Amino acid sequence: MQENEPKNVLEDVSCFKLPDHKTKIVCTLGPASSSENIIRKLIMKGMNISRLNFSHGNFQDHKDVIQKIRNISRELCIEIAIMADLPGPKIRTGKLETEPIHLSKGDEVILTTENVRGEGQIIPVNYKKLPESVSPGNFIYLNDGFIQLECLKILKNNVYCRVITEGPLSSNKGVNLPGIDIDLEPVTENDLKVIDFALDAGVDIFSISFVEKAEDIEKVRNFALKRGKSVFLIAKIEREKAVRDIDRIIEVSDGLMIARGDMGVELPIQNVPQVQKELIAKATMKGIPVITATHMLESMTENIRPTRAEVTDVANAILDGTDAVMLSGETAVGKYPVESVEMMSSIAKASEEWRDRTRWGIERIETRICGVEMNIDDVISHHVNEAVQRLSVDYVVTPTMSGQTARRISRFRPSTWILAFSRYPLTAQSLTLSYGVFPVYVKKLETDWENTVLGKMKEWGIYQSGDIVVLTQGQSPGRPGGTNLLKILTLV
């Protein structure tokens, strides 16, 4: 077995462990969660995808964490995807001599592009064109918009501002300039270096920050292809330009992330809930996974329990149809990383059970999917959904090359697990992002894959005589999206 290759599940009966919820959980790993002990606990509590934030840390640190994830994933025999989050052209504050500092309302501060450490009223910023980009009267936001400044004047490399909304500020925090054109390429040279490193480390799932147009996604894909690599690309939607061009971005992306931190500054904050719902609906229609992110259980960074509003936020994202929910600072630097994942899992379980019981929102999803022109794959997935609803199906089982069939079925948010068997490691890894899909990597699928898989399911002890299983299959092996056969079996 190669170092980066997942375990061949069909060879090991102990590999089959179904979670008690179908919504996938993304955890950002950092200082609070980079030890083997914590990573193991996060996986056991429900982490499906490990997010590595390349805005922080160095390559060696990330390489060590990647190896830990791979080792523990094999040890526990649980498929865990690793997602490299590209830094992008994020404008950030520089290093502060003492931190955090507190900016009080009415204070005057100086944002400087000079290479200095922040001290007193001087705050360094890494965007050299800041003085020529802003004008007196413009608003500048720091730390995900929690601090608001008003530009007073510009002198050479310094922008003089008054604090409108006060708050604490630390080094390396985000700077937002809503409504101002920023002269930065969404995919930077540093991003390409990160991609090179990640590909060499066996990571091929990337989230691309500050996407503005479809060409940003294609630039990353072409860069990887020139190195002979196929990649799974997730567009982070956080800028107004991306929201305006969302249909073209979805066409070339493998998944979406609704990054509500910067989005809540780039867009009027009161519009973020509507944009979230629209993006989830569009991704569902397209059959690509969508992650809802940022401040989901933020208070658990410091507290053992979340607020009621945060619990409601997570539940509503799940009921909207998101495939995955994400934890950021809660698991990266928080005091309670394991408890945060455990809480997220419990919210997902309760929300899914209520939706399965009431069918809340399911008819709307079905109407939207079936209200457009459908191809053969769409029709098959629709009939799978009908069978699940009317026949008390216990499992949906499908072999897959690209993951398309499993994702099309997943769009309907069925109450039944979708067991997706693939001989392609990237397909198995990427399917960890899709709602209700349990990916199973196998080195090869025999011609008689049906009896092989059913035999293993019996060996795993996950079905009883009389259980109903829906199987999908393509008559053209090796062609993505070629599923054209549906079988319903009562197991003996």
Side-chain angles (χ1 to χ4, degrees):
M1 181 185 298
Q2 297 179 1
E3 182 180 357
N4 297 316
E5 186 179 7
K7 195 167 186 175
N8 186 358
V9 174
L10 291 184
E11 294 176 352
D12 191 341
V13 177
S14 67
C15 279
F16 196 90
K17 303 178 184 71
L18 281 174
D20 63 0
H21 61 279
K22 300 180 180 68
T23 303
K24 303 308 177 68
I25 297 176
V26 183
C27 296
T28 305
L29 300 190
S33 51
S34 57
S35 70
E36 290 186 2
N37 181 46
I38 297 298
I39 292 172
R40 183 177 290 103
K41 288 181 178 179
L42 294 179
I43 293 173
M44 296 301 291
K45 293 298 182 181
M47 177 176 72
N48 305 103
I49 303 99
S50 299
R51 171 181 174 249
L52 304 183
N53 186 354
F54 280 83
S55 295
H56 304 283
N58 56 54
F59 284 169
Q60 185 58 51
D61 290 340
H62 288 300
K63 185 175 182 179
D64 292 343
V65 171
I66 289 168
Q67 193 57 56
K68 289 176 187 176
I69 297 167
R70 296 294 190 209
N71 291 342
I72 298 168
S73 174
R74 290 195 189 97
E75 171 196 323
L76 298 176
C77 214
I78 298 175
E79 192 79 63
I80 300 295
I82 300 176
M83 179 174 70
D85 194 303
L86 303 181
K90 179 81 169 180
I91 303 176
R92 295 183 182 275
T93 59
K95 182 69 177 174
L96 303 179
E97 191 67 42
T98 303
E99 56 181 318
I101 60 173
H102 188 86
L103 304 185
S104 299
K105 185 175 181 178
D107 283 354
E108 290 193 10
V109 296
I110 301 171
L111 302 182
T112 182
T113 59
E114 295 181 6
N115 187 23
V116 297
R117 280 179 173 264
E119 191 172 8
Q121 294 178 305
I122 298 176
I123 302 170
V125 175
N126 68 353
Y127 182 42
K128 294 298 183 183
K129 294 186 177 181
L130 179 66
E132 62 189 78
S133 300
V134 299
S135 303
N138 286 158
F139 291 114
I140 300 171
Y141 294 85
L142 310 179
N143 192 17
D144 280 339
F146 286 109
I147 298 173
Q148 182 183 16
L149 310 179
E150 181 183 6
C151 175
L152 300 176
K153 62 180 180 180
I154 299 101
L155 291 177
K156 296 184 179 180
N157 296 327
N158 299 326
V159 177
Y160 292 76
C161 302
R162 178 184 292 113
V163 178
I164 305 300
T165 305
E166 64 181 48
L169 180 68
S170 301
S171 302
N172 204 38
K173 291 299 181 181
V175 179
N176 291 91
L177 308 170
I180 298 172
D181 285 334
I182 300 172
D183 187 17
L184 290 172
E185 278 293 319
V187 180
T188 67
E189 287 300 316
N190 183 50
D191 289 337
L192 300 182
K193 292 177 183 177
V194 170
I195 296 168
D196 258 338
F197 162 79
L199 291 174
D200 288 342
V203 176
D204 37 30
I205 300 176
F206 296 90
S207 48
I208 306 173
S209 299
F210 304 107
V211 168
E212 292 186 346
K213 53 191 181 300
E215 288 75 14
D216 300 332
I217 306 297
E218 292 172 336
K219 180 177 179 179
V220 174
R221 197 180 303 281
N222 291 336
F223 181 82
L225 285 174
K226 288 178 181 178
R227 284 149 182 76
K229 301 285 187 176
S230 294
V231 288
F232 192 89
L233 302 181
I234 299 166
K236 292 174 67 175
I237 308 302
E238 47 201 328
R239 285 189 170 165
E240 185 178 9
K241 288 182 180 178
V243 174
R244 291 201 303 264
D245 199 30
I246 191 61
D247 291 332
R248 290 184 65 243
I249 290 172
I250 284 178
E251 282 300 317
V252 300
S253 301
D254 301 308
L256 291 186
M257 181 191 294
I258 307 171
R260 302 179 303 178
D262 283 281
M263 180 189 289
V265 183
E266 297 282 332
L267 298 173
I269 196 167
Q270 65 270 20
N271 293 346
V272 172
Q274 298 96 292
V275 172
Q276 174 177 312
K277 293 177 186 296
E278 290 171 3
L279 294 180
I280 290 174
K282 285 179 177 291
T284 302
M285 282 292 294
K286 178 65 177 175
I288 61 175
V290 55
I291 305 166
T292 304
T294 318
H295 296 155
M296 300 220 78
L297 297 178
E298 178 73 6
S299 65
M300 288 194 74
T301 306
E302 295 290 336
N303 303 307
I304 191 66
R305 286 177 63 81
T307 67
R308 278 71 171 170
E310 289 168 339
V311 173
T312 303
D313 178 39
V314 174
N316 278 331
I318 293 169
L319 295 174
D320 284 343
T322 194
D323 288 88
V325 286
M326 191 172 98
L327 295 165
S328 299
E330 302 95 326
T331 50
V333 296
K335 294 180 179 178
Y336 306 101
V338 177
E339 290 84 354
S340 296
V341 178
E342 188 172 22
M343 177 58 67
M344 195 75 95
S345 298
S346 67
I347 299 168
K349 181 175 185 290
S351 302
E352 294 165 19
E353 288 175 348
W354 184 78
R355 179 169 58 191
D356 290 344
R357 188 169 63 251
T358 64
R359 287 188 50 77
W360 192 93
I362 296 297
E363 289 184 3
R364 187 175 71 251
I365 293 173
E366 293 171 347
T367 300
R368 191 164 57 234
I369 294 173
C370 299
V372 298
E373 184 176 349
M374 301 174 75
N375 58 28
I376 294 174
D377 297 318
D378 291 322
V379 172
I380 291 291
S381 66
H382 174 55
H383 283 297
V384 169
N385 179 59
E386 288 285 317
V388 168
Q389 291 180 30
R390 300 178 186 278
L391 298 176
S392 298
V393 171
D394 294 280
Y395 298 101
V396 174
V397 182
T398 179
T400 182
M401 175 181 176
S402 66
Q404 284 186 28
T405 299
R407 291 191 185 97
R408 287 177 189 274
I409 299 169
S410 169
R411 293 182 301 172
F412 293 95
R413 300 300 182 254
S415 58
T416 301
W417 277 100
I418 304 160
L419 309 183
F421 295 83
S422 182
R423 65 178 184 269
Y424 299 97
L426 177 57
T427 298
Q429 289 271 305
S430 64
L431 282 172
T432 61
L433 284 157
S434 292
Y435 180 92
V437 178
F438 187 88
V440 181
Y441 169 71
V442 292
K443 287 186 177 178
K444 63 178 180 177
L445 284 175
E446 293 84 354
T447 304
D448 188 20
W449 79 270
E450 180 181 314
N451 287 329
T452 301
V453 168
L454 291 178
K456 280 298 177 183
M457 288 175 64
K458 187 172 184 179
E459 192 175 342
W460 290 331
I462 67 168
Y463 78 76
Q464 299 175 349
S465 178
D467 282 354
I468 298 175
V469 174
V470 172
L471 299 99
T472 68
Q473 189 174 351
Q475 292 184 348
S476 303
R479 183 172 69 85
T483 299
N484 54 13
L485 177 66
L486 182 153
K487 295 175 69 174
I488 301 174
L489 302 177
T490 300
L491 302 178
V492 295

